[in-house]
Amino acid sequence: MKIMITTPARFPAAFAAAAYHESRGELRAIVSPAPSWRAAGLGVSRARKRGLAPLGAWNQGFHRWGPRALQSQHQIAFSAVFDEIASRLIGDVDVVNCWCSTALRTIRAAHARGIPAVLEVASAHVETQAAILREEFARFGDDIDHTVLTPRVIARTVREYEEADAIIATSRFVRRTLVESGVAASKISVIPYGVDPAFVALTRRAAHGDVPTVLFVGGCGLRKGTPYLLDAFKRVQTRATLRLVGRTNEELFSRLGGLPAGVAAVGSKTGAALAAEYANADVFVLPSVEDGWGLVVNEAMSAGLPVIVSDAAGSAEVVEDGVNGHVVPARDVDALSARLEMLLGDADLRARMGAAARATAQSRTWRTYGDERNELVYAPLLGAHKTKVSDAAAA
């Protein structure tokens, strides 16, 4: 098998998949805006990376310095340009694997050459996402979250679902929303994310004082349930601190009356700095209102942290309630606060659940993820495609 992967960002799952396929001699190229010189650090040889560095630099620069009012239009333009370029880079391959929302032209270009296309879907059906966001906007305002879900983006994404030959969904939650919205269940395979076993070695637990730390990793926005987390933390009676690691959102914080006492928004962190955050935490929480998976949950569990996740996060599937963490209803501040109180007030319970969480994470690696992709998606898809081509030739 010869495979080409396209991804509009440095998504860990995309590069983990590429590294897996390259180790088997199956990867022909991964197309990404990440510079080629960063390929080795992402697990892929430079020879297999098709760099779109100028496009990536434009995207990052606009996100950092561009006008907030134009971010949505910029993202739409970036997605269209990336898709167009990727569609022209299809080489001698047996299958093209694209990441959702930047794939329509690439899917069509693959089909024009008789090549099947697989679509990666890491979030709920785009119409479900839009409905959830409308509810959040009604509560908190539509000027504090810049998620790009315009009618044009929604229509384009729906066409990607329809035209892809197969879909890889990150969770049963994602699959359910797709099927409920009319996507054929027969072409959806659920393949959850894994975690690098080496990550565990980077995140040895540090010694703690008397004040436990709650850790959140992700963009501080509406999709990740930040308002509900802050409200729940304010209700916790046990003395604790909360660290928000990820893109900050000053508009949201201001709308909510500022950060509560004991809460620190420390910005985005990667590598050793992020590993240190896991090492120095006692409890991890991801209270998303919509989240196809949440790789940070895998990372937190591998670091030996008990986790609290919402039932709207696909990663809830690896959480056994009361064993390695807790699952709470999305937006349920009372339930979230109660679970935080329970874990923060019992160090022995945290230790037991953290050990169980680590064992769970160690059973799901990126190699597991790659093996399931081949077994559940590529082998049957290419087998059916070969039969179809043979039948057409015989006719």
Side-chain angles (χ1 to χ4, degrees):
M1 177 179 71
K2 295 173 290 186
I3 182 172
M4 169 180 158
I5 295 174
T6 75
T7 177
R10 294 193 299 271
F11 295 134
F15 280 88
Y20 171 87
H21 292 299
E22 184 171 19
S23 72
R24 295 166 55 94
E26 297 166 345
L27 182 70
R28 288 299 174 266
I30 178 168
V31 178
S32 167
S36 294
W37 60 266
R38 297 200 62 174
L42 296 168
V44 180
S45 70
R46 191 164 183 170
R48 296 301 176 192
K49 170 69 177 60
R50 298 294 178 266
L52 303 177
L55 183 62
W58 166 51
N59 189 39
Q60 289 189 358
F62 202 98
H63 275 304
R64 180 172 296 182
W65 296 295
R68 293 296 294 269
L70 298 179
Q71 290 293 337
S72 294
Q73 293 91 325
H74 159 75
Q75 194 59 43
I76 292 169
F78 166 79
S79 297
V81 172
F82 173 81
D83 189 16
E84 177 64 31
I85 295 173
S87 72
R88 299 181 182 186
L89 292 176
I90 299 174
D92 177 23
V93 296
D94 299 309
V95 62
V96 173
N97 196 128
C98 315
W99 249 248
C100 188
S101 82
T102 57
L104 187 60
R105 295 191 185 195
T106 306
I107 291 170
R108 290 176 174 174
H111 286 168
R113 300 179 60 171
I115 301 170
V118 176
L119 183 69
E120 299 273 349
V121 181
S123 296
H125 189 286
V126 67
E127 292 172 346
T128 303
Q129 292 181 58
I132 291 171
L133 280 173
R134 283 195 296 270
E135 294 173 359
E136 295 302 296
F137 290 156
R139 289 182 173 92
F140 303 106
D142 62 3
D143 58 337
I144 55 176
D145 193 298
H146 299 277
T147 302
V148 185
L149 288 179
T150 65
R152 178 180 171 186
V153 169
I154 292 171
R156 174 190 177 92
T157 306
V158 169
R159 289 198 298 271
E160 290 178 354
Y161 301 150
E162 294 170 349
E163 297 186 26
D165 298 285
I167 291 174
I168 296 177
T170 51
S171 62
R172 292 190 296 272
F173 166 70
V174 172
R175 183 182 187 277
R176 175 174 59 78
T177 65
L178 292 171
V179 173
E180 288 175 348
S181 297
V183 178
S186 59
K187 71 177 184 180
I188 306 172
S189 296
V190 175
I191 305 179
Y193 289 159
V195 70
D196 185 348
F199 191 86
V200 177
L202 295 174
T203 53
R204 301 300 182 192
R205 302 299 305 283
H208 297 286
D210 295 331
V211 181
T213 297
V214 178
L215 177 65
F216 164 90
V217 179
C220 296
L222 299 182
R223 285 184 64 242
K224 298 293 183 179
T226 307
Y228 307 104
L229 172 57
L230 296 178
D231 193 2
F233 187 76
K234 285 191 294 186
R235 303 185 190 191
V236 171
Q237 298 300 307
T238 301
R239 187 182 173 203
T241 60
L242 168 63
R243 290 179 67 80
L244 306 176
V245 176
R247 188 189 69 253
T248 59
N249 190 326
E250 297 301 330
E251 294 98 330
L252 175 58
F253 298 156
S254 177
R255 187 70 52 83
L256 298 174
L259 293 177
V263 180
V266 300
S268 299
K269 296 193 177 187
T270 59
L274 177 58
E277 293 289 343
Y278 288 116
N280 288 289
D282 295 278
V283 177
F284 181 85
V285 61
L286 185 69
S288 303
V289 298
E290 184 280 314
D291 206 329
W293 186 259
L295 182 57
V296 291
V297 174
N298 300 60
E299 294 174 347
M301 294 176 78
S302 74
L305 293 177
V307 299
I308 304 174
V309 301
S310 77
D311 59 2
S315 46
E317 295 174 13
V318 296
V319 179
E320 188 175 354
D321 196 72
V323 177
N324 56 16
H326 291 290
V327 180
V328 298
R331 300 175 172 140
D332 191 331
V333 174
D334 290 336
L336 179 55
S337 178
R339 294 308 188 190
L340 283 169
E341 192 79 71
M342 178 187 299
L343 285 170
L344 291 173
D346 191 334
D348 290 339
L349 177 62
R350 294 197 302 269
R352 290 196 304 272
M353 295 180 71
R358 184 190 291 266
T360 298
Q362 288 176 329
S363 70
R364 177 133 204 112
T365 67
W366 285 123
R367 177 157 292 279
T368 309
Y369 175 71
D371 287 343
E372 291 179 358
R373 292 166 67 89
N374 271 358
E375 178 184 350
L376 300 177
V377 181
Y378 299 127
L381 177 63
L382 292 177
H385 181 70
K386 183 177 181 179
T387 299
K388 181 180 178 180
V389 171
S390 296
D391 290 345

